[in-house]
């Protein structure tokens, strides 16, 4: 794997990608015409693999990092059983999308939001399956805290996935899923049998590209996934 080429490390690359990079996923179905999606936000949280706060924020390179993910409960009506970023719908008391993402992440994973630095709020993306407009909120874990599934009716597992594993070409493939007469293909990751696909995989894929972290992989490798 190629280390970060940015002199200031991975955190600076994430900031640069958010500010200047063409990170937006290439293929995301739009909401149906006339439908106003619910405003939502997810926390895309990167941290150093260990639990020790790093005194120099920009010292880490991509292979030193992990990203926080969770598996949704199979009984949920929206995206049941899928791997996702922590997050959810905006509430009246949320001052902005970052507040939504942090509140939801605390409720779902138990993380301490005071240990999270918000790097950027990326442009909102359509999530047509559940009629949401979702803002990915890019975060940096300055002081990692313990995480676990808080409400098993919503989240059954919380885990930190090494970025190096996600970038490994052997982990990557294209997911193929069908809804009615439509077939959709998109980036996906097989993390020791845990499949990351759909919206979450699209955001990670484009963010990795925009940061310059992507390692060439076989984009013709396809596997069906169940929606």
């Amino acid at each position: 794997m190629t280390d970060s080429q940015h002199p200031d490390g991975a955190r600076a690359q994430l900031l640069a990608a958010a500010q200047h990079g063409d990170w937006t996923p290439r293929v995301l179905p739009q909401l149906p015409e006339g439908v106003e999606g619910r405003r939502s936000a997810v926390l895309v949280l990167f941290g150093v693999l260990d639990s020790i706060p790093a005194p120099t924020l920009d010292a880490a390179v991509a292979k030193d990092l992990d990203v926080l993910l969770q598996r949704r409960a199979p009984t949920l009506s929206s995206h049941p059983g899928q791997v996702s970023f922590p997050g959810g719908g905006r509430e009246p008391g949320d001052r902005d999308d970052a507040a939504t993402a942090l509140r939801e992440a605390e409720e779902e994973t138990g993380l301490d939001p005071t240990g999270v630095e918000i790097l950027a709020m990326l442009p909102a993306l359509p999530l047509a399956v559940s009629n949401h407009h979702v803002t990915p909120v890019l975060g940096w874990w300055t002081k990692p805290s313990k995480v676990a599934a808080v409400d098993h009716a919503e989240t059954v597992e919380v885990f930190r996935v090494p970025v190096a594993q996600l970038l490994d070409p052997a982990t990557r493939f294209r997911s193929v899923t069908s809804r009615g007469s439509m077939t959709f293909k998109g980036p996906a990751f097989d993390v020791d049998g845990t499949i990351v696909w759909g919206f979450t995989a699209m955001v990670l894929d484009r963010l990795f590209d925009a940061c310059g972290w992507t390692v060439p992989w076989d984009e013709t490798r396809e596997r069906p996934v169940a929606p």
Side-chain angles (χ1 to χ4, degrees):
M1 181 192 307
T2 302
D3 283 356
S4 164
Q5 298 300 310
H6 196 290
D8 295 324
R11 177 179 169 277
Q13 284 185 303
L14 288 165
L15 276 168
Q19 294 168 359
H20 308 295
D22 177 18
W23 76 273
T24 305
R26 295 184 180 91
V27 180
L28 269 176
Q30 299 298 307
L31 298 182
E33 187 174 351
V35 172
E36 184 176 350
R38 184 184 180 190
R39 188 168 180 176
S40 303
V42 295
L43 183 63
V44 185
L45 181 58
F46 290 92
V48 180
L49 283 165
D50 59 37
S51 59
I52 302 170
T56 305
L57 291 177
D58 289 325
V61 296
K63 72 177 184 180
D64 298 329
L65 305 184
D66 57 27
V67 63
L68 182 66
L69 297 175
Q70 63 182 21
R71 188 193 305 277
R72 295 168 58 83
T75 53
L76 292 175
S77 59
S78 178
H79 313 287
Q82 290 187 20
V83 174
S84 68
F85 302 113
R90 187 165 184 173
E91 300 293 344
D94 296 337
R95 66 182 181 275
D96 56 21
D97 292 318
T100 299
L102 287 173
R103 176 184 54 75
E104 287 281 343
E106 183 178 12
E107 292 175 0
E108 293 172 343
T109 74
L111 67 76
D112 181 357
T114 64
V116 177
E117 175 193 6
I118 298 301
L119 299 180
M121 288 181 278
L122 302 174
L125 300 170
L127 193 53
V129 175
S130 53
N131 289 334
H132 282 67
H133 272 116
V134 184
T135 298
V137 177
L138 190 58
W140 183 262
W141 222 344
T142 58
K143 188 178 180 182
S145 50
K146 291 183 179 180
V147 290
V150 175
D151 183 354
H152 285 267
E154 292 191 2
T155 305
V156 296
E157 185 181 9
V158 176
F159 45 96
R160 296 170 64 175
V161 180
V163 170
Q165 189 170 12
L166 293 169
L167 295 177
D168 184 347
T171 299
R172 308 202 61 178
F173 66 98
R174 288 209 169 277
S175 62
V176 182
T177 184
S178 297
R179 293 186 178 92
S181 61
M182 304 293 291
T183 297
F184 302 95
K185 297 182 181 181
F189 307 83
D190 185 337
V191 182
D192 298 327
T194 295
I195 306 303
V196 183
W197 67 285
F199 179 89
T200 303
M202 289 181 187
V203 171
L204 288 172
D205 173 73
R206 293 303 299 141
L207 198 51
F208 292 162
D209 280 356
C211 287
W213 297 350
T214 300
V215 178
W217 57 284
D218 183 2
E219 299 189 35
T220 66
R221 185 189 301 136
E222 296 183 351
R223 290 168 53 180
V225 297

